[in-house]
Amino acid sequence: MNIGFSWRTGAVFVLLILGFWAYQFRDLFTVYEQLKGKMSVNDELTLYITQAASSSLSKDTYRYYLYDAKKSPDDFMAHIKDVEPIMVTDDYKANAEVRDGQLDLYVRGNVYSFRNVGYSVRIHLDAALY
């Protein structure tokens, strides 16, 4: 009987150990979003606000999305990965207001991203640091 080291067995063992180790850190790479609010902008668009938490090591962010007004919040959450937010901020007190068919966003904090093109509504951002 010849007992020796098998490279295949060793490689499988190392892959199992690496997989177990990587599984422990899965929350560092996963973003969890929950719906915080919604507001009707016009007949075509609804503004959805979500709170995104990726891990206990990072700050929560708040994401603002414009989505089809004819669809439900459940449909929005089911397709959230396919929709790009118009704004991402860390300000939990950020405010949105619809006036004269325009969307006004008020932020006192960090704005990580903002875009206002490609929609049938004008978007105005009033942002300042704390």
Side-chain angles (χ1 to χ4, degrees):
M1 182 187 278
N2 187 3
I3 299 178
F5 181 76
S6 168
W7 287 103
R8 288 183 188 160
T9 305
V12 169
F13 182 72
V14 167
L15 287 174
L16 286 173
I17 295 295
L18 288 175
F20 179 75
W21 181 76
Y23 181 76
Q24 303 302 316
F25 295 101
R26 71 191 178 281
D27 287 339
L28 292 176
F29 307 106
T30 305
V31 176
Y32 301 98
E33 284 192 66
Q34 67 182 51
L35 189 60
K36 284 297 191 185
K38 77 174 209 164
M39 172 188 298
S40 177
V41 177
N42 56 31
D43 292 341
E44 299 173 6
L45 296 171
T46 300
L47 177 72
Y48 287 96
I49 304 162
T50 64
Q51 179 179 3
S54 57
S55 73
S56 61
L57 302 175
S58 66
K59 215 173 185 183
D60 288 353
T61 58
Y62 299 86
R63 299 176 182 199
Y64 289 69
Y65 298 90
L66 287 175
Y67 196 67
D68 189 353
K70 296 172 184 70
K71 301 203 176 174
S72 70
D74 291 333
D75 187 50
F76 165 72
M77 291 304 290
H79 295 97
I80 196 165
K81 299 291 183 201
D82 302 328
V83 183
E84 187 175 342
I86 60 167
M87 182 176 71
V88 179
T89 181
D90 64 356
D91 183 10
Y92 66 94
K93 294 181 188 177
N95 190 16
E97 187 176 299
V98 177
R99 288 186 308 160
D100 301 325
Q102 300 181 21
L103 179 61
D104 296 328
L105 301 171
Y106 303 97
V107 179
R108 300 296 174 253
N110 294 315
V111 175
Y112 299 114
S113 71
F114 174 74
R115 62 190 202 98
N116 65 350
V117 293
Y119 298 104
S120 60
V121 64
R122 288 184 185 251
I123 304 170
H124 301 280
L125 175 63
D126 179 6
L129 292 177
Y130 300 103

